[in-house]
Amino acid sequence: RSIEQRRISKFNQQAPYKIMSNIFPTAYLPSIEYISLFLKTDDVSIELYETYQKQSCRTRCNVMTANGIQTLTIPVIKTNGNHTLTKDIEISYKEAWQQIHLRCLESAYRKSAYFDYYFPYFEKIYKQKYNTLIELNDYCLKTILKLLKVKKEYSYTEDFEKIAEDRDFRISLSKNNYNNFEMKPYYQVFADRHGFVSNLSIVDLLFNEGSNSMYNV
């Protein structure tokens, strides 16, 4: 090999992480922590080639209702069983989950200050069908960025990569753990009943704070 080829090879062996992106899991109506890190992180890639992880942010989000925290879950089909990659996860429509999720959002936030403005955008999400989980989550993410009035470039992985821990958010963001993310309290519709709860889905912040949401992420 030439001297230049040997030099590049040596560099890649010594510093393999310098050419890699910061990797995030895909997420359904992501948490405030997810969006905060997503917007503050350069060179974001969303994972497609991991073995699908159930009961995580990939298919779940938390919203606040009159009865407390409600977890909304997307029913999925694992086309290759437990070895199914995230990119191949399909959405099941055996149950009317779209109507259930939409009714939950309406019930939870119809008394919020920005309900009338934002609800039509979420209605649009649930008025169409998606073949895969990635298609749905990507549409949700683009809708959220639009409502936050933020332009953010991101990409999808082309293979599974092990990267430096400080660049890998696939595990740390997987569980929607509310109250584990320190943030300035904002108005919530049912705070008088349940107190302030941090790190719910970003939809909670949008419906309650509207154009001021960016001050909290």
Side-chain angles (χ1 to χ4, degrees), residues 7 10 21 35 41-43 61 74 80 83 88 96 104-105 113 130 133 147 154-155 175 179 190 192 197 202 205 210:
R7 187 189 69 78
K10 183 178 181 181
S21 302
I35 293 297
T41 302
D42 294 328
D43 195 17
C61 72
I74 303 293
N80 295 311
H83 301 289
D88 298 321
C104 180
L105 292 181
Y130 311 83
L133 178 66
L147 297 180
Y154 61 94
S155 62
K175 302 299 181 182
N179 284 332
F190 300 109
D192 58 331
V197 178
I202 189 68
L205 182 60

Side-chain angles (χ1 to χ4, degrees), residues 6-209:
R6 290 197 298 270
R7 187 189 69 78
I8 293 173
S9 176
K10 183 178 181 181
F11 171 80
N12 287 340
Q13 291 174 3
Q14 292 177 341
Y17 305 128
K18 291 187 178 180
I19 60 173
M20 296 181 183
S21 302
N22 299 279
I23 301 183
F24 282 64
T26 184
Y28 170 57
L29 298 179
S31 67
I32 296 170
E33 179 183 20
Y34 183 108
I35 293 297
S36 179
L37 284 170
F38 185 88
L39 295 180
K40 295 172 182 176
T41 302
D42 294 328
D43 195 17
V44 171
S45 287
I46 296 176
E47 178 62 74
L48 292 182
Y49 288 86
E50 63 182 356
T51 301
Y52 170 70
Q53 298 182 37
K54 63 181 181 179
Q55 298 181 350
S56 72
C57 68
R58 293 156 183 81
T59 54
R60 294 184 169 197
C61 72
N62 295 315
V63 297
M64 179 60 71
T65 70
N67 296 318
I69 295 171
Q70 176 72 42
T71 299
L72 302 178
T73 304
I74 303 293
V76 299
I77 301 169
K78 294 186 285 187
T79 55
N80 295 311
N82 292 331
H83 301 289
T84 306
L85 300 181
T86 296
K87 72 180 182 66
D88 298 321
I89 292 292
E90 297 179 357
I91 296 176
S92 173
Y93 292 94
K94 288 185 178 180
E95 58 183 88
W97 65 268
Q98 288 176 299
Q99 292 91 325
I100 293 171
H101 289 203
L102 188 61
R103 285 201 299 268
C104 180
L105 292 181
E106 182 176 13
S107 175
Y109 299 111
R110 62 190 171 196
K111 293 183 180 180
S112 64
Y114 295 89
F115 176 80
D116 290 339
Y117 181 78
Y118 289 124
F119 189 68
Y121 290 94
F122 292 97
E123 276 188 308
K124 188 175 180 180
I125 291 175
Y126 297 107
K127 293 297 183 181
Q128 51 191 308
K129 290 189 175 183
Y130 311 83
N131 293 324
T132 66
L133 178 66
I134 290 295
E135 291 177 17
L136 167 62
N137 287 355
D138 187 70
Y139 190 86
C140 289
L141 181 57
K142 285 182 168 61
T143 298
I144 288 164
L145 294 176
K146 179 179 180 179
L147 297 180
L148 289 173
K149 298 181 179 179
V150 173
K151 290 185 178 181
K152 175 71 175 181
E153 297 293 330
Y154 61 94
S155 62
Y156 284 93
T157 60
E158 297 180 355
D159 199 354
F160 183 82
E161 298 175 336
K162 291 184 178 180
I163 66 172
E165 185 177 345
D166 63 342
R167 300 172 68 89
D168 191 345
F169 299 101
R170 288 173 292 196
I171 301 300
S172 62
L173 289 174
S174 285
K175 302 299 181 182
N176 287 323
N177 296 320
Y178 42 86
N179 284 332
N180 72 337
F181 177 60
E182 292 186 10
M183 61 180 300
K184 181 180 177 181
Y186 59 89
Y187 173 82
Q188 291 177 328
V189 175
F190 300 109
D192 58 331
R193 303 186 193 184
H194 307 293
F196 175 75
V197 178
S198 68
N199 206 28
L200 296 169
S201 167
I202 189 68
V203 302
D204 186 85
L205 182 60
L206 281 167
F207 278 122
N208 285 306
E209 290 291 323

